[in-house]
Amino acid sequence: MRWLPDDLRRRFAKPLPGLAAQLRMAPDPRTWPDEGAVLRPAAALLLIYPHAGEWHVALTVRGSGLRHHTGQVSLPGGRLDHPDESVEQAALREAQEEIGVAPDTVEIIGRLTPVPIAVSGHLLHPVVGIATARPMFSVSAPEVERLIELPVVRLMEPDAVGSEQRVRPLSPHVVQTVPYFDVAGARIWGATAMVLAEFTALLGSSNHEP
C-alpha cells in the first residue's frame, strides 16, 4: 500500500463519498439530532502511519469513567476548546493528550464528512493526517483504556464487517440493526464506524483511479 499517502492527497481534491458511504455502517434505524438542534463542534484525528511494513490507523478504547461512549472504540478526539480553535488544531491537540502523538509529526491532508451525534449533542469533524513514522505512543489513563493499532487493509477485508441487533439504550428504545467492524478483538460501531466507512470508500476509489 505504498500508494496510499499520494493517492489520498489526490482523492481529497475531489468530492468526498459523503453520507452515502457513512450510512453503510450506521445503525438502522439511526437516531438523528432534532431538527434545529445546536450541535457543539468536535474533532477527531484519523491518523495513518507505517508500522511493520503496513499502514495503520490509531484507535482508542474509551475509559470506563467517561461520561459518553464508555468502553467504545473511537478515534482520538474531543470538543473544541474555544471559538478560535480550528478543527485541525483540536484534532491534533486531542491526539497528543490522549495517545501522545506530537502535532509536528503529523501532516493534515483533509477532512471527511462531519457526523452528527445525537446522544452527546456534537457534530464530529473527522480530520485525516499522515505520519511518516510510527508515533511514540503514550496512552493517557483513565481517559483511554488502551490503544488499538489497526492495519488499514483489515478495514477492506469482507469478513471485517458484521452486524447485530440491539435495543437502543436511550428513548426511543427501538431495536436497531447495528453494523460494526470486527477488528483487533473489538467491535467498532456508531460514529467511528461511519467515519471509517467513508474512509474505506475513499481508499477504494483511490485504489482504482488511474
Side-chain angles (χ1 to χ4, degrees), residues 22-141:
Q22 293 177 348
L23 288 178
R24 181 172 69 92
M25 296 299 291
D28 183 24
R30 175 168 169 77
T31 303
W32 299 92
D34 294 335
E35 186 175 352
V38 177
L39 301 178
R40 293 167 292 182
L45 182 65
L46 199 165
L47 177 64
I48 308 160
Y49 61 94
H51 176 51
E54 294 185 272
W55 291 99
H56 284 65
V57 174
L59 299 166
T60 66
V61 178
R62 292 173 60 85
S64 59
L66 298 179
R67 182 178 180 183
H68 294 296
H69 313 299
T70 60
Q72 292 185 19
V73 180
S74 301
L75 296 164
R79 70 179 63 179
L80 275 63
D81 265 356
H82 51 78
D84 294 332
E85 186 176 42
S86 71
V87 167
E88 289 79 10
Q89 288 170 334
L92 291 171
R93 173 180 54 76
E94 289 285 343
Q96 184 176 34
E97 292 175 0
E98 292 184 14
I99 56 175
V101 175
D104 61 1
T105 65
V106 179
E107 176 195 357
I108 299 297
I109 62 170
R111 300 184 189 181
L112 295 173
T113 304
V115 180
I117 305 175
V119 65
S120 61
H122 287 98
L123 182 63
L124 179 65
H125 297 269
V127 176
V128 178
I130 295 177
T132 58
R134 180 182 180 272
M136 298 293 291
F137 290 116
S138 176
V139 173
S140 177

Side-chain angles (χ1 to χ4, degrees), residues 5 14-15 22 27 66 72 75 95 99 101 104 108 128 131 146 154-155 171 177 182 187 196-197 200 206 210:
K14 301 180 179 182
Q22 293 177 348
L66 298 179
Q72 292 185 19
L75 296 164
I99 56 175
V101 175
D104 61 1
I108 299 297
V128 178
R146 67 184 176 98
R154 175 58 183 155
L155 291 170
S171 179
T177 299
D182 187 0
R187 291 182 173 181
L196 293 176
T200 58
S206 294

Side-chain angles (χ1 to χ4, degrees), residues 142-159:
E143 186 174 0
V144 176
E145 184 176 300
R146 67 184 176 98
L147 173 73
I148 294 176
E149 297 188 69
L150 172 64
V152 171
V153 293
R154 175 58 183 155
L155 291 170
M156 312 291 286
E157 295 170 351
D159 68 344

